[in-house]
């Protein structure tokens, strides 16, 4: 067995901080001494910059990506008796918010190549109760928004883009989050644009939805201390807005670094037998929040989980960390048992859960480290 000199983490936030430490700490100290910790011009400026980056008219900052999705569904007045179509192969928040507003998640299977929603199945799942679709641009890879928007508009459905893993990605030269009716973003530290804590935002070109969102995120307050509906408290802290303003300036550079890293992996991994490297669609530009391969379980006597997991363990022994996003599909989670999905019903998502492995991916990853990952992978794939 090859012993590695340095171990390679799956992601490394400290390294990125080191590159912008001077700028960030100066801003943080300024905010601290300003005495203004909630709202204010820094939050407004960030909202404007984030809207401009996406070429949309409105950005509403909030407390998290989960809140962004929740508020989006509330602004669309989706609730009891409504159905919302989404993917079972995503972080739980995507579906959780559908339940949180009282609506019913409808899970459809994913596409083998992109891990994103299978759009033909989306069309087939529409009923008179369907009110919206939540596509997730998973791992940074954009959904085919041209096809999805055509399906949605022919049925008069709202589209809420879950852009939590894809800030900066684009489909047909349009940034994700600017194509659907609402775009929902997360600034969780490991996302492409990550803060130093929780944070989120919603983008939209619809002024009416924007106005509703601003009321909902502030306790449903329309005028000062006057409430017409039940809202929530969902704010982006001033400190986070100040830090995110700095990081937004580096976002394209960091995303380009991720793209170069993905291209380097691609070059070597596509030749490895037993591995399926990720692929981009012609009109999509991924920002590679994750570089996720499949480790084929074919001919492994059905012990597929064991095989991917054993590769993961062997990689770890060679000093290479990797992650499994996601080990269980949402439609088979205990929390969604009441919906009545059966194992085998969404086979592509279920197989993905057995086969996926996300390799180290962060802008500062070096070619030498990547060589070590590739070498270790070759070594343990037998
Ligand atoms: C991270 C994430 C969220 C939730 O964002 P938070 O800021 O952690 O609340 C939602 N959807 C997806 C796909 C995510 O990856």
């Amino acid at each position: 067995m090859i012993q590695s000199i340095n171990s390679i983490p799956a992601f490394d936030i400290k390294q990125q901080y080191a590159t912008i430490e001077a700028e960030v700490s100066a801003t943080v100290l300024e905010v601290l001494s300003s005495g203004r910790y909630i709202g204010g011009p820094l939050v407004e400026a960030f909202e404007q910059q984030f809207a401009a980056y996406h070429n949309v008219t409105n950005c509403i900052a909030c407390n998290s990506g989960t809140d962004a999705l929740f508020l989006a569904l509330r602004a669309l007045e989706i609730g009891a008796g409504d159905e919302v179509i989404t993917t079972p192969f995503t972080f739980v928040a995507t579906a959780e918010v559908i339940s949180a507003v009282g609506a019913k998640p409808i899970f459809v299977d994913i596409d083998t190549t992109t891990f994103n929603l299978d759009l033909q199945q989306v069309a087939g799942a529409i009923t008179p109760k369907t009110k919206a679709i939540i596509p997730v641009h998973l791992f940074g890879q954009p959904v085919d928004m041209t096809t999805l928007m055509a399906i949605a508009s022919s049925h008069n459905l709202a589209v809420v883009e879950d852009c939590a893993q894809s800030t900066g990605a684009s489909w047909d030269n349009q940034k994700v989050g600017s194509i659907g009716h609402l775009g929902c973003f997360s600034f969780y530290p490991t996302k492409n644009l990550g803060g130093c804590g929780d944070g989120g935002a919603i983008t939209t070109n619809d002024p009416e939805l924007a106005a509703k969102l601003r009321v909902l995120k502030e306790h449903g307050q329309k005028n000062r201390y006057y409430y017409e509906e039940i809202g929530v408290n969902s704010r982006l802290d001033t400190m986070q807005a100040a830090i995110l303003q700095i990081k937004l300036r580096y976002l394209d550079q960091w995303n380009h670094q991720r793209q170069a890293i993905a291209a380097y992996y691609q070059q070597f991994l596509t030749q490895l037998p037993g591995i399926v490297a990720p692929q981009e669609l012609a009109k999509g530009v991924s920002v590679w929040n994750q570089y996720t391969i499949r480790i084929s379980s074919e001919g492994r006597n059905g012990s597929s989980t064991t095989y991917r997991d054993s590769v993961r363990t062997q990689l770890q022994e060679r000093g290479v960390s990797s992650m499994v996003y996601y080990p269980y599909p949402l439609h088979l989670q205990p929390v969604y048992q009441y919906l009545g999905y059966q194992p085998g019903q969404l086979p592509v998502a279920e197989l993905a859960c057995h086969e996926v492995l996300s390799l180290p991916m962060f802008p500062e990853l070096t070619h030498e480290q990547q060589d070590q990952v590739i070498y270790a992978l070759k070594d343990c794939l037998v």
Side-chain angles (χ1 to χ4, degrees), residues 63-67 69 90-91 93-94 136 138 162 164-165 185-188 191 198-200 326:
N63 182 259
S64 67
T66 307
D67 274 8
L69 290 161
T90 177
F91 181 59
T94 315
V136 180
L138 199 74
D162 183 338
Q165 299 182 10
F185 294 84
S186 165
F187 306 129
Y188 184 81
K191 310 289 166 136
D198 273 314
Y326 294 91

Side-chain angles (χ1 to χ4, degrees), residues 50 60-73 90-98 134 136 160-165 167 182-189 191 193 195 197-203 213 234-236 244:
F50 200 71
I60 298 93
C62 63
N63 182 259
S64 67
T66 307
D67 274 8
L69 290 161
F70 173 78
L71 289 164
L73 296 184
T90 177
F91 181 59
V92 68
T94 315
E96 179 186 44
V97 295
I98 300 170
I134 309 185
V136 180
V160 176
E161 294 178 70
D162 183 338
C163 309
Q165 299 182 10
T167 310
L182 296 152
C184 298
F185 294 84
S186 165
F187 306 129
Y188 184 81
K191 310 289 166 136
L193 179 65
D198 273 314
I202 307 147
T203 48
L213 286 163
S234 190
R235 299 186 278 240
L236 180 70
L244 288 166

Side-chain angles (χ1 to χ4, degrees), residues 208-227:
E208 243 176 79
L209 286 175
K212 270 170 134 174
L213 286 163
R214 292 206 179 277
V215 171
L216 284 167
K217 68 168 262 195
E218 211 167 317
H219 303 288
Q221 168 177 280
K222 188 135 197 195
N223 299 308
R224 198 137 178 86
Y225 299 120
Y226 184 78
Y227 312 95

Side-chain angles (χ1 to χ4, degrees), residues 103-336:
K104 184 180 174 187
I106 303 293
F107 295 112
V108 304
D109 214 346
I110 57 168
D111 173 75
T112 315
T113 314
T114 61
F115 300 120
N116 284 333
L117 276 174
D118 178 332
L119 299 182
Q120 275 192 332
Q121 298 211 22
V122 169
I126 296 169
T127 74
K129 290 181 177 174
T130 310
K131 290 284 149 47
I133 304 166
I134 309 185
V136 180
H137 308 292
L138 199 74
F139 304 145
Q141 159 112 294
V143 169
D144 170 354
M145 290 302 288
T146 313
T147 306
L148 182 65
M149 292 312 287
I151 293 168
S153 71
S154 71
H155 295 270
N156 206 17
L157 303 177
V159 172
V160 176
E161 294 178 70
D162 183 338
C163 309
Q165 299 182 10
S166 57
T167 310
S170 61
W171 174 258
D172 202 10
N173 296 314
Q174 277 185 285
K175 286 259 157 48
V176 300
S178 71
I179 309 167
H181 300 89
L182 296 152
C184 298
F185 294 84
S186 165
F187 306 129
Y188 184 81
T190 58
K191 310 289 166 136
N192 293 49
L193 179 65
C196 300
D198 273 314
I202 307 147
T203 48
T204 184
N205 277 315
D206 183 327
E208 243 176 79
L209 286 175
K212 270 170 134 174
L213 286 163
R214 292 206 179 277
V215 171
L216 284 167
K217 68 168 262 195
E218 211 167 317
H219 303 288
Q221 168 177 280
K222 188 135 197 195
N223 299 308
R224 198 137 178 86
Y225 299 120
Y226 184 78
Y227 312 95
E228 286 178 354
E229 61 190 323
I230 296 296
V232 292
N233 167 12
S234 190
R235 299 186 278 240
L236 180 70
D237 292 346
T238 310
M239 191 99 78
Q240 297 306 334
I243 295 167
L244 288 166
Q245 267 190 57
I246 295 170
K247 289 190 150 194
L248 184 57
R249 289 186 228 126
Y250 292 93
L251 178 65
D252 286 344
Q253 179 197 318
W254 289 332
N255 281 341
H256 288 144
Q257 285 169 254
R258 287 177 184 269
Q259 284 156 356
I261 290 162
Y264 193 79
Y265 271 143
Q266 210 77 353
Q267 196 184 326
F268 296 97
L269 295 185
T270 39
Q271 304 157 14
L272 277 191
I275 278 194
V276 183
Q279 275 175 50
E280 287 183 273
L281 301 178
K283 288 184 182 170
V285 176
S286 175
V287 290
W288 303 100
N289 183 252
Q290 301 296 332
Y291 185 88
T292 304
I293 60 170
R294 271 173 192 276
I295 299 188
S296 172
S297 52
E298 247 171 78
R300 298 257 169 204
N301 299 329
S303 57
S304 51
T305 311
T306 321
Y307 184 57
R308 184 268 321 272
D309 290 348
S310 87
V311 170
R312 187 177 180 218
T313 308
Q314 290 179 66
L315 280 175
Q316 192 64 60
E317 284 165 9
R318 288 159 176 78
V320 175
S321 292
S322 58
M323 305 292 271
V324 174
Y325 302 117
Y326 294 91
Y328 310 107
L330 294 184
H331 66 288
L332 300 179
Q333 294 275 356
V335 76
Y336 284 123

